[in-house]
Coordinates of all heavy atoms in Angstrom, one line a residue:
M1 N 0.8 -1.2 0.0 CA 0.0 0.0 -0.1 C 0.8 1.3 0.0 O 1.8 1.3 0.7 CB -0.8 0.1 1.2 CG -2.2 -0.8 1.1 SD -3.4 -0.1 0.1 CE -4.2 0.8 1.4
G2 N 0.4 2.3 -0.7 CA 1.2 3.5 -0.8 C 0.9 4.2 0.4 O -0.2 4.4 1.0
V3 N 2.0 4.8 1.1 CA 1.8 5.6 2.3 C 2.2 7.0 2.0 O 3.3 7.3 1.4 CB 2.8 5.0 3.4 CG1 2.7 5.9 4.7 CG2 2.5 3.6 3.7
P4 N 1.4 7.9 2.4 CA 1.7 9.4 2.1 C 3.0 9.8 2.8 O 3.3 9.6 4.0 CB 0.6 10.2 2.7 CG -0.4 9.2 3.2 CD 0.2 7.9 3.1
K5 N 3.9 10.5 1.9 CA 5.3 10.9 2.4 C 5.2 11.9 3.4 O 5.9 12.0 4.4 CB 6.1 11.1 1.2 CG 7.6 11.2 1.5 CD 8.4 11.2 0.2 CE 9.6 10.2 0.3 NZ 10.1 10.2 -1.1
K6 N 4.4 13.0 3.0 CA 4.3 14.2 3.8 C 2.8 14.5 4.2 O 1.8 14.2 3.5 CB 4.8 15.4 2.9 CG 6.3 15.5 2.8 CD 6.9 16.5 3.8 CE 8.4 16.3 3.8 NZ 9.1 16.4 2.6
R7 N 2.7 15.1 5.4 CA 1.4 15.4 5.9 C 0.9 16.6 5.1 O 1.7 17.6 5.0 CB 1.4 15.7 7.3 CG 0.1 16.0 7.9 CD 0.2 16.3 9.5 NE -1.0 16.8 10.0 CZ -1.3 16.7 11.3 NH1 -0.5 16.3 12.2 NH2 -2.4 17.2 11.7
K8 N -0.3 16.6 4.6 CA -0.8 17.8 3.8 C -1.2 19.0 4.8 O -1.6 18.7 6.0 CB -2.1 17.3 3.0 CG -1.9 16.1 2.1 CD -1.1 16.6 0.9 CE -1.1 15.5 -0.1 NZ -0.2 14.3 0.3
S9 N -0.9 20.2 4.2 CA -1.3 21.3 5.2 C -2.7 21.5 5.4 O -3.6 20.9 4.7 CB -0.6 22.5 4.6 OG -1.4 22.9 3.3
K10 N -3.0 22.3 6.3 CA -4.5 22.6 6.7 C -5.1 23.3 5.6 O -6.3 23.0 5.3 CB -4.5 23.6 7.9 CG -4.3 22.9 9.3 CD -4.3 24.0 10.3 CE -3.1 23.7 11.3 NZ -2.7 24.9 12.1
M11 N -4.4 24.1 4.8 CA -4.9 24.8 3.6 C -5.3 23.7 2.6 O -6.5 23.9 2.1 CB -3.9 25.8 3.1 CG -4.6 26.7 2.0 SD -3.1 27.5 1.1 CE -4.1 28.3 -0.2
R12 N -4.4 22.8 2.3 CA -4.8 21.8 1.2 C -5.9 20.9 1.8 O -6.8 20.7 0.9 CB -3.6 20.9 1.2 CG -2.4 21.5 0.2 CD -1.4 20.4 -0.1 NE -1.8 19.6 -1.2 CZ -1.4 19.9 -2.4 NH1 -0.6 20.9 -2.7 NH2 -1.8 19.1 -3.4
R13 N -5.9 20.6 3.1 CA -7.0 19.8 3.6 C -8.3 20.5 3.4 O -9.4 20.0 3.0 CB -6.7 19.4 5.0 CG -7.8 18.6 5.7 CD -7.7 18.7 7.2 NE -8.0 20.0 7.7 CZ -7.6 20.4 8.9 NH1 -7.1 19.7 9.7 NH2 -7.9 21.7 9.2
N14 N -8.4 21.8 3.9 CA -9.6 22.6 3.9 C -10.1 22.9 2.5 O -11.4 22.9 2.2 CB -9.4 24.0 4.7 CG -9.2 23.7 6.1 OD1 -9.5 22.6 6.7 ND2 -8.6 24.7 6.7
R15 N -9.2 23.1 1.5 CA -9.5 23.4 0.2 C -10.1 22.1 -0.4 O -11.1 22.2 -1.2 CB -8.3 23.9 -0.7 CG -8.6 24.6 -1.9 CD -7.3 25.2 -2.5 NE -6.3 24.2 -2.6 CZ -5.0 24.5 -2.8 NH1 -4.6 25.8 -2.9 NH2 -4.1 23.7 -3.1
R16 N -9.5 20.9 -0.2 CA -10.1 19.8 -0.7 C -11.6 19.5 -0.1 O -12.5 19.1 -0.9 CB -9.1 18.6 -0.3 CG -9.7 17.2 -0.7 CD -8.6 16.1 -0.5 NE -8.0 16.2 0.9 CZ -8.6 15.5 1.9 NH1 -9.7 14.8 1.7 NH2 -8.0 15.6 3.0
R17 N -11.7 19.7 1.1 CA -13.0 19.5 1.8 C -14.0 20.5 1.2 O -15.2 20.1 1.1 CB -12.9 19.7 3.3 CG -12.3 18.4 3.9 CD -12.2 18.4 5.4 NE -11.4 17.2 5.8 CZ -11.0 17.1 7.1 NH1 -11.4 18.0 8.0 NH2 -10.3 16.1 7.5
A18 N -13.6 21.7 0.9 CA -14.5 22.7 0.4 C -15.0 22.2 -1.1 O -16.2 22.5 -1.5 CB -13.9 24.1 0.2
A19 N -14.1 21.6 -1.8 CA -14.4 21.2 -3.2 C -15.2 19.9 -3.2 O -16.0 19.7 -4.1 CB -13.1 21.0 -4.0
N20 N -15.0 19.0 -2.2 CA -15.6 17.7 -2.2 C -16.7 17.7 -1.1 O -16.3 17.5 0.1 CB -14.7 16.6 -2.0 CG -13.7 16.6 -3.1 OD1 -14.1 16.2 -4.3 ND2 -12.5 16.9 -2.9
S21 N -18.0 18.0 -1.4 CA -19.0 18.0 -0.4 C -19.2 16.8 0.3 O -19.7 16.7 1.5 CB -20.3 18.6 -1.0 OG -20.6 17.7 -2.0
N22 N -18.8 15.6 -0.4 CA -19.0 14.3 0.2 C -18.1 14.0 1.3 O -18.3 13.2 2.2 CB -19.0 13.1 -0.9 CG -17.6 13.2 -1.6 OD1 -17.2 14.3 -2.0 ND2 -16.9 12.1 -1.8
L23 N -17.0 14.8 1.4 CA -16.0 14.7 2.5 C -16.3 15.5 3.7 O -15.6 15.3 4.7 CB -14.6 15.0 2.0 CG -14.1 14.0 0.9 CD1 -12.8 14.6 0.5 CD2 -14.0 12.6 1.3
R24 N -17.3 16.4 3.6 CA -17.7 17.2 4.7 C -18.4 16.3 5.7 O -19.4 15.5 5.4 CB -18.6 18.4 4.2 CG -17.9 19.7 4.2 CD -18.7 20.8 3.6 NE -18.3 21.0 2.2 CZ -19.1 21.7 1.4 NH1 -20.2 22.1 1.8 NH2 -18.8 21.8 0.1
E25 N -18.2 16.7 7.0 CA -18.9 15.9 8.1 C -20.3 16.5 8.2 O -20.6 17.7 8.2 CB -18.2 16.3 9.4 CG -17.3 15.1 9.9 CD -16.7 15.3 11.2 OE1 -17.4 15.1 12.2 OE2 -15.4 15.4 11.2
A26 N -21.2 15.5 8.3 CA -22.6 15.9 8.4 C -22.9 16.5 9.7 O -22.4 16.1 10.8 CB -23.5 14.6 8.2
V27 N -23.6 17.6 9.9 CA -24.0 18.2 11.1 C -25.0 17.3 11.8 O -26.1 17.0 11.3 CB -24.7 19.6 10.9 CG1 -25.0 20.3 12.2 CG2 -23.6 20.4 10.1
Q28 N -24.6 16.8 13.0 CA -25.5 16.0 13.8 C -26.5 16.8 14.7 O -26.1 17.8 15.3 CB -24.6 15.1 14.7 CG -24.0 13.9 14.1 CD -23.7 12.8 15.0 OE1 -24.6 12.4 15.7 NE2 -22.6 12.5 15.1
V29 N -27.6 16.4 14.6 CA -28.7 17.1 15.5 C -29.4 16.0 16.3 O -29.9 14.9 15.7 CB -29.7 17.9 14.6 CG1 -30.7 18.5 15.5 CG2 -29.0 18.9 13.8
T30 N -29.4 16.1 17.6 CA -30.2 15.3 18.5 C -31.2 16.1 19.2 O -31.3 17.3 19.0 CB -29.2 14.6 19.5 OG1 -28.4 15.5 20.1 CG2 -28.4 13.5 18.9
E31 N -32.0 15.5 20.2 CA -32.9 16.3 20.8 C -32.7 16.2 22.4 O -32.1 15.4 22.8 CB -34.3 15.8 20.5 CG -34.7 14.4 21.2 CD -36.2 14.1 21.1 OE1 -36.9 14.7 20.1 OE2 -36.6 13.2 21.8
C32 N -33.0 17.5 22.9 CA -32.7 17.6 24.2 C -33.6 16.8 25.2 O -34.8 16.6 24.9 CB -33.1 19.2 24.7 SG -32.9 19.5 26.4
P33 N -33.0 16.0 26.0 CA -33.9 15.1 26.8 C -34.7 15.8 27.8 O -35.7 15.1 28.3 CB -32.7 14.3 27.7 CG -31.5 15.1 27.7 CD -31.5 15.9 26.4
K34 N -34.5 17.0 28.0 CA -35.4 17.7 29.0 C -36.7 18.6 28.2 O -37.7 18.2 28.6 CB -34.6 18.8 29.7 CG -35.3 19.3 30.9 CD -34.4 20.2 31.8 CE -35.2 20.9 32.9 NZ -35.9 22.0 32.5
C35 N -36.3 19.3 27.3 CA -37.3 20.1 26.6 C -37.6 19.6 25.2 O -38.4 20.3 24.5 CB -36.9 21.6 26.6 SG -35.4 22.0 25.6
R36 N -36.8 18.5 24.7 CA -37.2 18.0 23.4 C -36.9 19.0 22.2 O -37.4 18.8 21.1 CB -38.6 17.4 23.2 CG -38.9 16.5 24.3 CD -39.5 15.1 23.7 NE -39.5 14.1 24.6 CZ -38.6 13.1 24.7 NH1 -37.7 12.9 23.8 NH2 -38.9 12.1 25.5
E37 N -36.0 19.9 22.5 CA -35.6 20.9 21.5 C -34.5 20.2 20.6 O -33.7 19.4 21.1 CB -35.1 22.2 22.0 CG -36.2 23.2 22.4 CD -36.8 24.0 21.2 OE1 -36.1 24.4 20.4 OE2 -38.0 23.8 21.1
P38 N -34.3 20.5 19.4 CA -33.1 20.0 18.6 C -31.9 20.7 19.0 O -31.9 21.8 19.1 CB -33.5 20.3 17.1 CG -34.5 21.3 17.1 CD -35.2 21.2 18.5
I39 N -30.9 19.9 19.4 CA -29.6 20.4 19.9 C -28.4 19.8 19.3 O -28.6 18.7 18.7 CB -29.5 20.3 21.5 CG1 -29.8 18.9 21.9 CG2 -30.3 21.3 22.2 CD1 -29.3 18.4 23.1
L40 N -27.3 20.4 19.3 CA -26.0 19.8 18.8 C -25.4 19.0 19.8 O -25.5 19.4 21.1 CB -25.1 21.1 18.3 CG -25.6 21.9 17.2 CD1 -24.7 23.1 17.2 CD2 -25.6 21.2 15.9
P41 N -24.8 17.9 19.5 CA -24.2 17.1 20.5 C -23.0 17.7 21.2 O -22.3 18.5 20.6 CB -23.8 15.8 19.8 CG -23.8 16.1 18.4 CD -24.7 17.3 18.1
H42 N -22.8 17.4 22.5 CA -21.7 17.8 23.4 C -21.8 19.4 23.6 O -20.8 20.1 23.7 CB -20.3 17.5 22.8 CG -20.2 16.0 22.6 ND1 -20.1 15.4 21.4 CD2 -20.3 15.0 23.4 CE1 -20.0 14.1 21.4 NE2 -20.1 13.8 22.7
R43 N -23.0 19.9 23.5 CA -23.3 21.3 23.7 C -24.4 21.5 24.6 O -25.4 20.7 24.5 CB -23.3 22.0 22.5 CG -22.1 22.9 22.1 CD -21.9 23.0 20.7 NE -21.4 21.8 20.2 CZ -20.9 21.6 19.0 NH1 -20.8 22.7 18.2 NH2 -20.4 20.5 18.5
A44 N -24.4 22.5 25.4 CA -25.7 22.8 26.3 C -26.8 23.2 25.4 O -26.6 23.8 24.4 CB -25.2 23.9 27.4
C45 N -28.0 22.9 25.9 CA -29.2 23.2 25.2 C -29.5 24.6 25.3 O -29.4 25.4 26.3 CB -30.4 22.4 25.9 SG -31.9 22.9 25.2
K46 N -29.7 25.3 24.1 CA -30.0 26.8 24.0 C -31.2 27.2 24.8 O -31.3 28.3 25.3 CB -30.1 27.1 22.6 CG -28.7 27.6 21.9 CD -29.0 28.3 20.7 CE -28.6 27.5 19.4 NZ -29.6 27.0 18.6
S47 N -32.3 26.3 24.8 CA -33.6 26.9 25.3 C -33.7 26.7 26.8 O -34.3 27.4 27.5 CB -34.7 26.3 24.5 OG -34.6 24.8 24.6
C48 N -33.2 25.5 27.4 CA -33.3 25.3 28.7 C -32.0 25.3 29.4 O -31.9 25.4 30.7 CB -34.0 23.9 29.0 SG -33.1 22.5 28.5
G49 N -30.9 25.4 28.8 CA -29.5 25.6 29.4 C -29.0 24.3 30.1 O -28.1 24.4 30.8
Y50 N -29.6 23.2 29.7 CA -29.1 21.9 30.4 C -28.1 21.1 29.6 O -28.1 21.1 28.4 CB -30.5 21.0 30.6 CG -31.0 21.1 32.0 CD1 -31.6 22.3 32.4 CD2 -30.9 20.0 32.9 CE1 -32.2 22.5 33.7 CE2 -31.5 20.1 34.2 CZ -32.1 21.3 34.6 OH -32.6 21.5 35.8
Y51 N -27.1 20.6 30.3 CA -26.2 19.7 29.8 C -25.7 18.7 30.8 O -25.4 19.2 32.0 CB -25.0 20.5 29.2 CG -24.0 19.6 28.5 CD1 -24.3 19.1 27.3 CD2 -22.8 19.3 29.1 CE1 -23.5 18.2 26.6 CE2 -21.9 18.4 28.5 CZ -22.2 17.8 27.2 OH -21.4 17.0 26.7
G52 N -25.7 17.4 30.4 CA -25.3 16.4 31.3 C -26.2 16.4 32.6 O -25.7 16.0 33.7
G53 N -27.5 16.5 32.4 CA -28.4 16.3 33.6 C -28.5 17.5 34.6 O -29.1 17.3 35.7
R54 N -27.9 18.6 34.3 CA -27.9 19.8 35.2 C -27.9 21.0 34.4 O -27.4 21.1 33.2 CB -26.8 19.8 36.2 CG -25.4 19.9 35.6 CD -24.4 19.8 36.7 NE -23.1 20.2 36.1 CZ -22.6 21.4 36.3 NH1 -23.3 22.3 36.9 NH2 -21.5 21.6 35.7
E55 N -28.4 22.2 35.0 CA -28.4 23.4 34.4 C -27.0 24.0 34.3 O -26.5 24.2 35.3 CB -29.4 24.4 35.1 CG -29.9 25.5 34.2 CD -30.9 26.3 34.8 OE1 -31.6 25.9 35.7 OE2 -31.0 27.5 34.4
V56 N -26.5 24.4 33.2 CA -25.2 25.0 33.1 C -25.2 26.4 32.6 O -24.3 27.1 32.8 CB -24.3 24.1 32.3 CG1 -23.8 22.9 32.9 CG2 -24.7 23.8 30.8
I57 N -26.4 26.9 31.9 CA -26.5 28.2 31.5 C -27.8 28.7 32.3 O -28.8 28.0 32.3 CB -26.8 28.3 30.0 CG1 -25.7 27.6 29.2 CG2 -26.7 29.8 29.6 CD1 -26.0 27.4 27.8
A58 N -27.6 29.9 32.9 CA -28.7 30.5 33.5 C -29.8 31.0 32.5 O -29.6 31.5 31.5 CB -28.3 31.8 34.4
T59 N -31.1 30.5 32.9 CA -32.1 30.9 32.0 C -33.3 31.6 32.8 O -33.3 31.5 34.1 CB -32.8 29.6 31.4 OG1 -32.9 28.6 32.3 CG2 -31.9 29.1 30.2
E60 N -34.0 32.5 32.1 CA -35.0 33.2 32.9 C -36.3 32.3 33.2 O -36.7 31.5 32.5 CB -35.6 34.3 31.9 CG -34.6 35.3 31.3 CD -34.2 34.9 29.9 OE1 -35.0 34.8 29.0 OE2 -33.0 34.6 29.8
Ligands
ZN101 ZN1 -33.4 21.7 26.5

């Protein structure tokens, strides 16, 4: 098997990913277990401020 000799730069990598939409990572959306809002994984919920079973952002 051919092994890449040099690591490609960030610019090369990013330019390649911009040109090939199939190599882009799909944006994952899950739902908040508390308020059932669509949320991004590993981030606190925007509407209720919950993450990991407790409130981490103050909400009104
Ligand atoms: Zn929530």
Side-chain angles (χ1 to χ4, degrees):
M1 281 280 274
V3 178
K5 197 169 223 170
K6 286 259 162 63
R7 183 178 172 160
K8 301 292 187 286
S9 69
K10 282 174 224 164
M11 185 192 174
R12 284 190 82 96
R13 182 199 64 196
N14 293 342
R15 200 170 51 195
R16 179 168 52 86
R17 284 178 187 176
N20 300 291
S21 57
N22 57 316
L23 299 176
R24 255 176 258 164
E25 257 183 75
V27 180
Q28 279 203 59
V29 181
T30 47
E31 74 173 15
C32 175
K34 194 170 176 282
C35 65
R36 304 235 167 252
E37 278 284 306
I39 49 157
L40 297 167
H42 308 113
R43 254 148 287 196
C45 175
K46 270 197 252 101
S47 57
C48 67
Y50 263 69
Y51 184 73
R54 64 186 189 93
E55 200 178 338
V56 288
I57 313 170
T59 45
E60 303 94 63

